[in-house]
Amino acid sequence: MVRALAAYASKPEESRGRLYPEPEHAMRSPFQRDRDRIIHSTAFRRLTHKTQVFVYHEGDHYRTRLTHSLEVAQIARTIARALGLDEDLAETLALAHDLGHTPFGHAGEEALDAEMAPWGGFSHNDQTLRVLTLLERRYAGFDGLNLTWETLEGIVKHNGPLRGPGIARPVPPTIAEYDRRHPLGLGSFAGGEAQVAALADDIAYNNHDIDDGLRAGLFPVADLDPVPLVGPVFGEVARQYPGIEEPRLIHESIRRLIDHMVADLLAETRSRLAASGARSADDLRALKAPVAAFSAAMRQNDRALKAFLFERMYRHERVNRMSDEAKRVVRDLFLRFLARPELMPAEWRQLAAGPGDPGTARVAADYLAGMTDRFALDEHRRLSDI
């Protein structure tokens, strides 16, 4: 069944197109083609063995970047459908948003950013655009995946505008360069689908990190009692099902938490949409604030949960220990490749310049960022013997 899109949705037939023009497909919309190109990309497959908080050898049941991206996509599609937005574009953005992440989650990114500081640093959002426009080399007519303007705009504005009042940070280099060739309107908010995908990301990782943290024994269920919304929901489930086994308690509570957050997001966003009077996707972009948002009360709950997870999970001694090891591996690999580019595979080596050269640093960062956790550990072990 074909669903009519709202006036403010991104219409596939009104897409601003691709950097390299291509004929339209007879069976798929431009946004469906974008989604399919992402799913078939090498970078997407690698997400299977890239972790968020835990390195892979801690266990097979913790979420990876791939499972996280799929969960974000499911939530984003639900919200987009309820709001009359284009589900395919929302799904595309959700599936693509983590493609630029390094191995070992945020620890890997911090280490690579520090080593790349002399050459502009490293940002996973900038790296995602590099993957999508440069590093995927599959098509005969162009580098990258040649995605639509709407998809690339949503990717680079995942966290909001990149230029404008109050934004002091420079635009990352790859985004700045691409914007010169194919302007992405970096001073405005993204369309509604991108805003929804960004909040679906928040909903997914907050709630699923609770699940992973409990599963790993980093904190017990009882410690969630004082956390707003979370504690009451766990308590409600425990009262409704006396004596429930802990795995069922956790799953039932988390599904309810996700439902609460999605319902709040829909109510607040519908209110903002009505007040905005927006009649097109560009009307949403022109607003001074995002139209997709949580209520003030839910934003407060979200901050409280993030603070709990930061203290009890992301800064847990076990996680810190693994993070320190991950940073050491990333740092050692980068410095080796920078000093001896011949250690990289031929297809990367031929892109590098001499030892210590800025061009070599960029190639080393690209190669290293694409590694999975397992491959990075194996490569570090192998090169340590040389």
Side-chain angles (χ1 to χ4, degrees):
M1 172 175 147
V2 178
R3 291 178 177 269
L5 296 178
Y8 48 75
S10 297
K11 313 293 195 305
E13 66 274 12
E14 296 175 5
S15 170
R16 300 190 196 183
R18 307 174 189 275
L19 181 61
Y20 303 99
E22 297 182 56
E24 295 301 331
H25 196 276
M27 294 176 287
R28 293 176 294 160
S29 78
F31 303 148
Q32 288 174 314
R33 293 178 80 188
D34 283 2
R35 175 201 60 207
D36 297 345
R37 290 181 181 191
I38 287 162
I39 288 173
H40 287 280
S41 69
T42 302
F44 187 72
R45 290 196 301 276
R46 286 184 184 136
L47 296 181
T48 307
H49 297 294
K50 288 191 177 188
T51 49
Q52 300 199 124
V53 178
F54 300 90
V55 288
Y56 83 95
H57 59 264
E58 277 288 298
D60 291 336
H61 301 290
Y62 300 117
R63 284 170 176 84
T64 66
R65 291 282 172 194
L66 180 63
T67 55
H68 167 69
S69 296
L70 293 172
E71 289 166 344
V72 175
Q74 177 266 316
I75 295 170
R77 283 195 72 110
T78 298
I79 298 168
R81 175 175 289 218
L83 294 173
L85 296 167
D86 189 282
E87 291 181 56
D88 297 317
L89 179 55
E91 179 183 29
T92 298
L93 294 163
L95 293 174
H97 81 282
D98 269 355
L99 291 179
H101 269 288
T102 64
F104 313 123
H106 293 292
E109 178 170 0
E110 288 174 17
L112 193 51
D113 182 37
E115 295 305 324
M116 282 292 291
W119 303 283
F122 178 90
S123 151
H124 75 263
N125 210 33
D126 193 58
Q127 191 68 18
T128 296
L129 190 68
R130 289 184 68 77
V131 169
L132 296 176
T133 61
L134 295 169
L135 300 180
E136 283 286 330
R137 299 184 177 100
R138 305 166 59 83
Y139 294 89
F142 45 79
D143 287 339
L145 302 182
N146 197 34
L147 304 180
T148 61
W149 184 93
E150 290 77 11
T151 292
L152 296 178
E153 180 223 21
I155 292 295
V156 303
K157 298 179 190 173
H158 184 72
N159 297 313
L162 281 77
R163 293 191 177 122
I167 301 174
R169 243 183 122 172
V171 176
T174 303
I175 295 175
E177 174 57 30
Y178 187 87
D179 184 64
R180 284 191 282 271
R181 303 170 65 201
H182 194 197
L184 296 172
L186 301 182
S188 70
F189 285 94
E193 292 82 2
Q195 294 183 35
V196 160
L199 288 171
D201 183 25
D202 248 21
I203 293 170
Y205 78 68
N206 272 353
N207 285 288
H208 297 142
D209 279 357
I210 296 173
D211 189 10
D212 283 348
L214 290 167
R215 183 189 294 273
L218 299 183
F219 49 85
V221 169
D223 286 4
L224 292 168
D225 286 349
V227 180
L229 183 63
V230 180
V233 167
F234 270 79
E236 173 189 276
V237 174
R239 287 190 298 273
Q240 186 176 352
Y241 300 99
I244 188 173
E245 303 137 280
E246 187 167 281
R248 294 178 190 266
L249 168 67
I250 293 168
H251 176 74
E252 183 66 28
S253 300
I254 287 173
R255 66 189 286 265
R256 294 186 187 196
L257 286 167
I258 292 172
D259 194 57
H260 277 297
M261 296 184 81
V262 169
D264 180 273
L265 170 58
L266 287 173
E268 179 68 18
T269 301
R270 284 176 175 138
S271 174
R272 292 188 179 206
L273 283 167
S276 75
R279 301 298 302 162
S280 70
D282 282 341
D283 285 349
L284 295 185
R285 293 185 176 97
L287 296 174
K288 299 303 182 186
V291 72
F294 294 123
S295 67
M298 187 59 75
R299 287 198 299 274
Q300 190 171 356
N301 293 338
D302 185 57
R303 285 192 294 270
L305 175 54
K306 281 183 168 69
F308 175 87
L309 290 171
F310 183 86
E311 179 64 30
R312 301 299 304 275
M313 184 171 182
Y314 310 140
R315 289 295 176 262
H316 192 281
E317 182 215 354
R318 275 173 55 200
V319 176
N320 281 340
R321 191 166 61 246
M322 290 185 289
S323 295
D324 289 345
E325 175 63 12
K327 289 178 182 179
R328 184 180 70 84
V329 168
V330 170
R331 183 171 56 249
D332 288 355
L333 285 173
F334 179 82
L335 293 175
R336 282 175 184 271
F337 296 144
L338 181 62
R340 297 180 61 189
E342 71 273 10
L343 294 176
M344 290 186 283
E347 65 268 26
W348 292 95
R349 186 168 62 243
Q350 67 187 11
L351 298 173
D357 187 90
T360 301
R362 183 67 262 177
V363 171
D366 286 341
Y367 176 49
L368 185 48
M371 292 181 180
T372 64
D373 295 18
R374 177 167 53 192
F375 183 80
L377 290 169
D378 289 345
E379 190 73 345
H380 185 261
R381 195 176 302 113
R382 182 182 70 82
L383 293 177
S384 295
D385 295 331
I386 295 178

